[in-house]
Amino acid sequence: TRPCDAGRRPCVVLDPFVGSGTVAVVAERLGRLWVGCDLSEEYAKQALVRIKLARQGKRVSKDEVHDRQYLNQSLLFGG
């Protein structure tokens, strides 16, 4: 097998079960592009909130994101 050299190449992280957005948040911290999707609209919304907060430099756990106050604020889609 070949050793992984992803550290030296641009790559896109694919997360077909984005859930609370952990993989996307970590990908962003590492400077990677990412694509995530989820069958659950609720999980996708929670992931977007968490990712947006992470982009603002705020650390929010997946448990905190489940709190409705984050979803009720205008944080989704650049709001």
Side-chain angles (χ1 to χ4, degrees), residues 34-53:
W34 59 270
V35 175
C37 57
D38 205 295
L39 289 175
S40 167
E41 184 177 351
E42 185 72 15
Y43 278 131
K45 287 178 182 179
Q46 291 172 3
L48 288 172
V49 169
R50 189 167 180 216
I51 294 160
K52 180 162 185 172
L53 290 170

Side-chain angles (χ1 to χ4, degrees), residues 15 17-25 38 42-51 60-63 65-66:
D15 187 1
F17 308 100
V18 76
S20 63
T22 300
V23 171
V25 168
D38 205 295
E42 185 72 15
Y43 278 131
K45 287 178 182 179
Q46 291 172 3
L48 288 172
V49 169
R50 189 167 180 216
I51 294 160
V60 178
S61 74
K62 63 183 177 183
D63 295 327
V65 145
H66 290 285

